[in-house]
């Protein structure tokens, strides 16, 4: 599995498939990166594996942290991606809504607004 050896010896298609399995969907940016620069995709995969793997913090917690960070940057596509990943990795509605509290407290209404479409995934 590509995720286990951090992309070494894996082609970009295998890396994308591995990430897609972990995320539960395939972000379009991965396809684009794989076509343009497979070596960058390998680096991206190494970072992604750090988030999607339990360590001192469970993967779910790290994904919720990532959700808060991308919301603070007001990246709606990024928020949707992290929301899907959070749900795939077992985040509950209550955990996501508590993360929304943190987003609001730390980054304000514009960051919450960036979550508008992603929150529809909770219905």
């Amino acid at each position: 599995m590509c995720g286990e050896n951090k992309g070494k010896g894996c082609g970009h298609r295998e890396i994308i498939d591995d990430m897609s399995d972990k995320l539960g969907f395939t972000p379009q940016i991965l396809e684009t990166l794989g076509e343009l620069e497979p070596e960058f995709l390998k680096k991206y995969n190494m970072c992604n594996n750090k988030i999607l793997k339990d360590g001192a913090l469970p993967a779910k917690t790290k994904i919720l942290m990532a959700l808060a960070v991308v919301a603070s940057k007001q990246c709606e596509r990024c928020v949707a991606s992290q929301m899907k990943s959070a749900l795939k990795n077992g985040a509950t509605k209550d955990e996501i809504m508590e993360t929304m509290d943190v987003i609001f407290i730390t980054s304000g209404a514009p960051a919450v607004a960036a979550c508008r479409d992603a929150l529809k995934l909770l219905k």
Side-chain angles (χ1 to χ4, degrees), residues 3-17:
E4 298 302 316
N5 64 21
K6 298 185 178 22
K8 295 177 183 164
C10 292
H12 80 274
R13 183 79 257 154
E14 291 84 7
I15 292 171
I16 292 169
D17 290 346

Side-chain angles (χ1 to χ4, degrees), residues 47-85:
C47 294
N48 203 44
N49 282 327
K50 290 283 190 179
I51 292 175
L52 296 174
K53 189 174 181 181
D54 289 338
L57 293 172
K60 178 176 69 172
T61 300
K62 293 186 280 187
I63 294 164
L64 290 170
M65 291 167 66
L67 173 63
V69 169
V70 297
S72 74
K73 301 288 186 182
Q74 300 174 33
C75 177
E76 292 182 33
R77 285 186 177 175
C78 302
V79 169
S81 178
Q82 292 300 332
M83 182 72 76
K84 288 176 187 175
S85 184

Side-chain angles (χ1 to χ4, degrees), residues 9-29:
C10 292
H12 80 274
R13 183 79 257 154
E14 291 84 7
I15 292 171
I16 292 169
D17 290 346
D18 185 55
M19 281 196 248
S20 296
D21 286 344
K22 290 178 183 173
L23 293 170
F25 66 100
T26 305
Q28 183 58 44
I29 188 65

